[in-house]
Amino acid sequence: MDPHDIAARLKVPVEDVERVQRLAGDLPSAPLPARADAPALLDRLAIRPDDAAEIMAGWPDAGSPLWTPELRWLLDRSIALVRADLGGYVWLPPGPELPRDRGPAWRHLYVYAYLALVDVVRGYHRDHGVPDAVSWLILADLGRNLAIDRRMRGEGWPVMQSWLTLHVRGAVYELGRLQHHRGDGVIGLHVPDSGPLTPEAVSASLDEALAFFPRHFPDEPYSAFSCGSWLLDPQLREYLPEDSNIIRFQRRFELEPYEEAEGPDADVEVRRFVFRTLSTPLDQLPRHTVLQRAIVDHLTAGRHWQWRQGRFPI
């Protein structure tokens, strides 16, 4: 198919289609699970009933009028693109951002790509001796992210569609309170929305990782834990008590020098994580917690949050 024609029909930039075509080439894709098996799989991936109903309604059955040739091409090549980097651990956009208001096939195309890759990555996990329970736990992050995106009325998905390619390439593992991301000599830490960030829970998760990675990835030596997040912004100390979980988490890290252009926009990310909305006016955001009040007051004063990088040795 001609990339200009595909881009026009999908209403996306042609360079995004050319990127998919270049990276996927003629590489093998992977089949979706059978429709009859899908409900049980969606349940295992912690997908809520409302999201599961949409996914089933848009299922790419042969002959479905929802699935135009260009959508089927993009689904097939996106699966191939991600599968080709199995074992990789850098962020990988699976394809262009689609106009998701055009129906379930458009809204969930990259979810279907994820579902097609579940068995692929579970094979990768088995090759590395990763327990089945650990595999399913990280793969169920799909349900968590879909629920967050629904709460955000679709504002969260553009980031999530790239984030979730890490899961189906064997790059990220949820070990206790934290998610641990394979990398070049460092284990990156991510903080999912799953309860208090207590020092005890963090320490237990780090201990799990210290046992997990030498056992399952013995050829990948790691010397440090790292994190990039607004949670490491020292400005939070102006608002939060020293014994708060966030400040105690910060104190584990030695921060790298701040560079304004580096990393995501922290003002956006803090609103995404704390309030789960990017469009609600500041004066309408909730102020129920110390953290919520800190975020709103800081931004209302015309100040900005910082995306900070830090690490500490293993």
Side-chain angles (χ1 to χ4, degrees), residues 158-173:
V159 171
M160 294 173 185
Q161 70 183 41
S162 296
W163 159 243
L164 290 165
T165 69
L166 295 169
H167 302 52
V168 289
R169 287 181 290 141
V172 175
Y173 298 88

Side-chain angles (χ1 to χ4, degrees), residues 124-137:
Y124 177 84
H125 288 164
R126 285 193 297 272
D127 290 344
H128 288 270
V130 174
D132 216 34
V134 175
S135 293
W136 286 114
L137 182 60

Side-chain angles (χ1 to χ4, degrees), residues 99-215:
R100 300 175 71 228
D101 58 354
R102 295 181 64 178
W106 297 75
R107 187 156 49 252
H108 295 304
L109 185 140
Y110 297 113
V111 174
Y112 299 118
Y114 188 104
L115 297 176
L117 290 162
V118 164
D119 280 348
V120 174
V121 76
R122 289 187 65 225
Y124 177 84
H125 288 164
R126 285 193 297 272
D127 290 344
H128 288 270
V130 174
D132 216 34
V134 175
S135 293
W136 286 114
L137 182 60
I138 190 58
L139 290 171
D141 206 28
L142 174 63
R144 177 191 289 148
N145 279 268
L146 284 171
I148 291 170
D149 181 62
R150 180 174 287 272
R151 180 179 167 190
M152 293 182 68
R153 297 175 181 165
E155 295 176 324
W157 190 254
V159 171
M160 294 173 185
Q161 70 183 41
S162 296
W163 159 243
L164 290 165
T165 69
L166 295 169
H167 302 52
V168 289
R169 287 181 290 141
V172 175
Y173 298 88
E174 189 161 332
L175 306 169
R177 180 62 184 86
L178 303 174
Q179 292 173 341
H180 299 260
H181 185 173
R182 295 170 43 235
D184 290 324
V186 297
I187 298 170
L189 301 178
H190 302 282
V191 183
D193 188 0
S194 62
L197 190 65
T198 65
E200 296 77 14
V202 170
S203 293
S205 182
L206 297 175
D207 288 343
E208 282 194 59
L210 291 175
F212 179 87
F213 285 97
R215 181 183 304 127

Side-chain angles (χ1 to χ4, degrees), residues 275 285-293:
F275 300 105
L285 291 172
R287 297 174 55 88
H288 305 312
T289 68
V290 174
L291 180 59
Q292 289 175 342
R293 292 191 292 273

